[in-house]
Amino acid sequence: MGISFQHVDYNYPGLKRKDFTIALQDVNLDISENGEFIAIVGKTGSGKSTLMQHMNGLKIPTRGNVVVFDNVITPKPRKNPKMKNIRKRVGYVFQFPEYQLFEETVLKDVMFAPVNFGFSKEEAKEKAMNILKLLGIEKLASKSPFNLSGGQMRRVAIAGILSYDPDIILLDEPTRGLDPKGAKDIMELFYKIHKETGKTFILISHDMDIVYEYTNRIIVLNDTKITYDGGKEELFKTDIYKENHLTKPEVLKLTDYLNEKLNLNLGYDNYNLDMLLNSLKAVTKHE
Ligand SMILES: Nc1ncnc2c1ncn2[C@@H]1O[C@H](COP(=O)(O)OP(=O)(O)OP(=O)(O)O)[C@@H](O)[C@H]1O
Ligand SMILES: [Mg+2]
């Protein structure tokens, strides 16, 4: 098992002891290190980032345990395992990761984590160059990370996490602020790595179109609690998504519309417009 939450609560401390904010309540979750592409969704302030920060030891539960690759994280800090071992296996791409760039060159920035996790300089350089190539930004290697466009900076920051090859990759709103093409390119890249390596990806997103296209399991948070954990089709077939302040993906709105207007029975297993178009062609040819 990759990551497991057992009755986890988390409170943010306030100025006074009594003034804490409850961010998570009784969270139970099992996440495999293999084959999952999970979305964490829910309205702003529902606890998504707080939940994700527990997955690599950035937050320690107030109550309950989080188990990450057999390392048990408990509310007692002194008993806790070495976080470095956990962070090496579970990589975290923060919201606006470009704010964390700091080295003189792109290459040095991407090499930083592998060096920190014990790879030699040569190995780190090789890993960094490979990942820059994969992301199509190897030409930027000797540039300063501060003289890049926002989208390029985002890629460099993502390269910094992928460079040390973590088993599970956490993504907190990786497409936020990118133009539609930039967002699609980055999602396609994560999806490709996921398909090729089987690595589990966990994505926080407010974009239901992206969530519906790429993920295979959705976890919904509503006001500190998990209110849904399961398949994407089931979530949008019932009213659960509305009760959790989510909007229907565009492809499903169009599916509903076509079914109604043309009296068809197109399924919710078309995860993007191309898939829907192909299904539509297939049924109309039959008639
Ligand atoms: N540093 C903090 N100190 C105190 N309270 C916090 C802190 N960070 C978050 N909170 C509170 O914890 C709750 C959950 O916040 P969190 O950031 O996990 O939500 P989120 O679902 O990621 O929201 P968003 O979609 O806006 O990113 C909210 O009530 C928030 O106000
Ligand atoms: Mg957040």
Side-chain angles (χ1 to χ4, degrees):
M1 182 61 60
I3 302 174
S4 172
F5 281 64
Q6 297 154 355
H7 300 291
V8 169
D9 295 346
Y10 185 79
N11 301 338
Y12 281 97
L15 289 178
K16 290 190 204 140
R17 223 161 182 246
K18 287 184 293 179
D19 298 340
F20 54 84
T21 305
I22 300 174
L24 292 176
Q25 291 190 79
D26 199 29
V27 170
N28 293 287
L29 268 183
D30 283 321
I31 294 169
S32 164
E33 73 267 37
N34 230 300
E36 301 215 69
F37 205 129
I38 300 174
I40 302 176
V41 302
K43 69 175 179 193
T44 185
S46 57
K48 302 180 295 297
S49 297
T50 308
L51 178 71
M52 190 170 263
Q53 285 159 18
H54 281 79
M55 295 179 179
N56 81 339
L58 286 171
K59 289 254 185 316
I60 293 185
T62 306
R63 270 176 294 278
N65 299 330
V66 180
V67 186
V68 186
F69 290 108
D70 298 328
N71 299 281
V72 186
I73 307 173
T74 73
K76 298 197 178 80
R78 259 185 288 155
K79 284 199 175 167
N80 279 338
K82 280 209 176 97
M83 294 302 176
K84 197 166 176 175
N85 299 338
I86 292 176
R87 303 223 170 107
K88 182 162 186 272
R89 300 198 67 181
V90 185
Y92 197 128
V93 178
F94 291 97
Q95 212 168 336
F96 298 113
E98 52 274 26
Y99 294 157
Q100 277 142 26
L101 300 174
F102 68 100
E103 287 279 7
E104 279 163 51
T105 66
V106 165
L107 180 62
K108 277 192 188 167
D109 217 295
V110 178
M111 281 171 62
F112 178 82
V115 169
N116 190 35
F117 286 129
F119 291 100
S120 73
K121 278 248 162 79
E122 289 71 42
E123 283 171 321
K125 189 170 175 185
E126 195 188 326
K127 283 179 186 298
M129 281 313 293
N130 285 342
I131 206 76
L132 288 172
K133 269 184 210 143
L134 188 67
L135 285 160
I137 49 172
E138 72 269 29
K139 287 201 182 114
L140 304 178
S142 58
K143 277 201 162 188
S144 159
F146 303 104
N147 298 338
L148 305 176
S149 75
Q152 289 170 328
M153 280 191 191
R154 179 80 52 99
R155 280 170 180 255
V156 172
I158 289 168
I161 303 299
L162 297 177
S163 62
Y164 56 92
D165 203 26
D167 295 300
I168 295 180
I169 292 129
L170 310 177
L171 307 161
D172 195 344
E173 301 199 46
T175 59
R176 188 158 166 187
L178 298 181
D179 62 48
K181 165 95 170 48
K184 186 160 176 57
D185 286 351
I186 276 203
M187 286 311 303
E188 289 287 333
L189 179 87
F190 293 140
Y191 193 68
K192 187 171 158 231
I193 299 173
H194 165 73
K195 281 285 159 207
E196 280 173 7
T197 63
K199 282 180 200 293
T200 285
F201 281 73
I202 307 174
L203 165 82
I204 294 178
S205 181
H206 289 278
D207 185 328
M208 289 306 124
D209 298 335
I210 282 181
V211 164
Y212 205 68
E213 178 158 7
Y214 294 101
T215 65
N216 56 23
R217 171 179 171 190
I218 300 184
I219 294 170
V220 181
L221 275 172
N222 193 350
D223 192 18
T224 74
K225 290 187 183 135
I226 292 182
T227 49
Y228 180 86
D229 180 357
K232 53 189 173 183
E233 289 160 53
E234 294 76 28
L235 174 61
F236 291 103
K237 269 183 189 155
T238 63
D239 278 347
I240 304 173
Y241 76 93
K242 280 189 207 154
E243 290 154 14
N244 287 285
H245 317 278
L246 303 170
T247 53
K248 217 173 203 182
E250 290 302 322
V251 66
L252 296 185
K253 288 186 198 161
L254 187 55
T255 304
D256 292 344
Y257 181 79
L258 292 171
N259 283 343
E260 195 196 316
K261 294 288 173 189
L262 302 175
N263 200 18
L264 296 173
N265 200 10
L266 298 163
Y268 272 20
D269 54 350
N270 298 302
Y271 304 130
N272 60 32
L273 292 178
D274 287 334
M275 291 174 83
L276 181 60
L277 179 65
N278 286 334
S279 294
L280 184 64
K281 279 181 185 162
V283 292
T284 45
K285 243 183 231 160
H286 266 280
E287 281 170 2

